């Protein structure tokens, strides 16, 4: 039964990590209905480590772009420059994550915060998509400056609040900065790698790697499922953003926020 539970949670992670609807928020809420056995520490660790599967999917799908060991010198320099920009973009969330990790765990990982973030950003998605018309100035990742990357990193920092959505914040943030939609999506995927890897390492260090053999197996299964599902979702999302806006996701977030509020107030 526990392996079935982590399979379902891996599917949720693989889908919601890349859609602008908050993977962390969905995993925390899913715990209300899918009760994993084990300590609270293991449950939280699972919600963080399972994200590694999503990271691996990005590396596999975009390895030709992200491979820093290319033989051609020009392509190698181009790739290393991209990685440098990604690391710059990771600075705000990295610093804030380390400083605020305990606060986020203890005070912000609650249903009222998640519901409020889902609702507020849902409204913002609709307003940005329907009311704002911003000129596109960045049509490929090579055109992203270090300052653009850092500004995008500030949007990523907002996603530390559960219910916000890292991908949603960075993709829409990129569009506000003048990124073309697909470029904003791809750069958002790349930005996830150091931030999510760092968050997983931080959580493992805090737990002291003190897991049982069965818990390690549960983590492995959940991560593998997240990887496979992410492969499909990333491809579909890139195709989707070429011809659709995010207002539909905004409506979804608002409806989900209302349902969460009603559920927790009633039960």
């Amino acid at each position: 039964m526990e392996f079935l539970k982590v399979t379902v949670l891996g599917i949720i992670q693989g889908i919601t990590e890349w859609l602008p609807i908050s993977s962390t928020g969905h995993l925390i809420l899913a715990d209300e209905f899918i009760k994993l056995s084990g300590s609270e520490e293991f449950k939280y660790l699972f919600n963080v480590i399972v994200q590694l599967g999503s990271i691996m999917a990005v590396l596999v799908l975009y390895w030709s772009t992200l491979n820093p060991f290319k033989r051609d010198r020009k392509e190698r320099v181009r790739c290393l420059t991209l990685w440098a920009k990604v690391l710059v973009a990771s600075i705000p969330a990295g610093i804030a994550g380390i400083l605020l990790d305990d606060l986020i765990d203890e005070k912000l990982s609650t249903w009222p915060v998640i519901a409020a973030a889902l609702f507020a950003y849902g409204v913002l998605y609709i307003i940005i998509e329907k009311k704002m018309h911003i000129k596109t100035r960045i049509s490929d990742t090579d055109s992203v400056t270090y300052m653009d990357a850092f500004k995008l990193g500030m949007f990523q920092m907002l996603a530390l609040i559960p219910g916000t959505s890292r991908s949603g914040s960075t993709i829409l943030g990129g569009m506000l900065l003048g990124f073309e939609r697909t470029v904003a999506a791809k750069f958002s995927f790349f930005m996830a790698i150091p931030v999510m890897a760092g968050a997983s390492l931080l959580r493992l260090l805090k737990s002291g790697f003190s897991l049982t053999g069965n818990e390690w197996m549960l983590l492995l299964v959940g991560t593998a499922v997240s990887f496979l599902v992410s492969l499909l979702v990333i491809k579909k999302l890139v195709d989707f953003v070429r011809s659709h806006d995010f207002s539909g996701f905004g409506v979804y977030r608002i409806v989900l926020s209302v349902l969460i509020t009603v559920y927790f107030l009633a039960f």
Side-chain angles (χ1 to χ4, degrees):
M1 182 60 71
E2 293 304 303
F3 284 96
L4 177 60
K5 291 177 184 178
V6 296
T7 298
V8 174
L9 292 173
I11 293 172
I12 293 173
Q13 162 63 27
I15 294 173
T16 59
E17 178 60 46
W18 308 112
L19 301 183
I21 54 178
S22 176
S23 62
T24 302
H26 277 75
L27 287 173
I28 292 174
L29 293 170
D31 186 57
E32 290 293 317
F33 306 96
I34 306 173
K35 298 289 186 180
L36 277 178
S37 298
S39 65
E40 289 301 316
E41 177 65 23
F42 169 69
K43 292 177 184 178
Y44 187 83
L45 181 63
F46 178 87
N47 287 347
V48 176
I49 301 301
V50 74
Q51 297 175 348
L52 289 176
S54 299
I55 294 175
M56 293 170 60
V58 175
L59 289 172
V60 169
L61 288 174
Y62 293 101
W63 182 244
S64 61
T65 301
L66 298 173
N67 177 14
F69 307 108
K70 297 178 180 180
R71 293 184 179 181
D72 183 82
R73 183 180 180 279
K74 184 176 180 181
E75 287 299 311
R76 187 166 63 250
V77 170
R78 183 180 181 185
C79 179
L80 291 173
T81 300
L82 173 61
W83 272 111
K85 294 173 183 177
V86 168
L87 292 176
V88 167
S90 304
I91 292 174
I95 294 174
I98 293 173
L99 295 177
L100 304 176
D101 186 56
D102 291 336
L103 174 65
I104 294 170
D105 287 354
E106 298 170 8
K107 303 295 183 181
L108 300 183
S109 297
T110 61
W111 77 260
V113 173
I114 294 171
L118 285 168
F119 186 89
Y121 279 85
V123 172
L124 283 175
Y125 288 0
I126 295 172
I127 292 175
I128 290 172
E129 290 286 14
K130 299 299 184 182
K131 303 296 183 181
M132 300 183 68
H133 302 283
I134 300 167
K135 183 178 180 180
T136 299
R137 62 181 181 85
I138 299 173
S139 57
D140 56 64
T141 54
D142 291 338
S143 302
V144 179
T145 67
Y146 286 99
M147 182 55 69
D148 291 328
F150 185 79
K151 290 178 180 178
L152 199 56
M154 297 297 288
F155 283 98
Q156 181 168 242
M157 183 176 65
L158 298 175
L160 291 173
I161 301 173
T164 299
S165 173
R166 192 205 60 79
S167 62
S169 294
T170 50
I171 293 175
L172 285 180
M175 290 165 57
L176 289 173
L177 293 173
F179 285 57
E180 192 270 327
R181 281 178 174 275
T182 55
V183 176
K186 289 179 181 179
F187 202 82
S188 171
F189 300 157
F190 302 159
M191 289 170 61
I193 298 172
V195 169
M196 292 163 65
S200 299
L201 177 60
L202 179 62
R203 179 50 53 182
L204 280 172
L205 291 174
K206 282 193 171 186
S207 69
F209 294 85
S210 55
L211 298 177
T212 66
N214 187 61
E215 287 174 337
W216 280 113
M217 284 300 298
L218 291 173
L219 279 176
L220 180 61
V221 171
T223 301
V225 173
S226 171
F227 167 74
L228 294 173
V229 174
S230 290
L231 287 176
L232 299 174
V233 173
I234 291 172
K235 290 180 179 179
K236 294 295 183 182
L237 182 59
V238 172
D239 292 337
F240 179 89
V241 297
R242 286 193 178 99
S243 56
H244 298 80
D245 63 29
F246 278 13
S247 57
F249 292 117
V251 174
Y252 170 86
R253 292 175 65 98
I254 293 170
V255 171
L256 181 60
S257 172
V258 172
L259 291 175
I260 289 169
T261 303
V262 171
Y263 171 81
F264 281 99
L265 289 179
F267 299 98

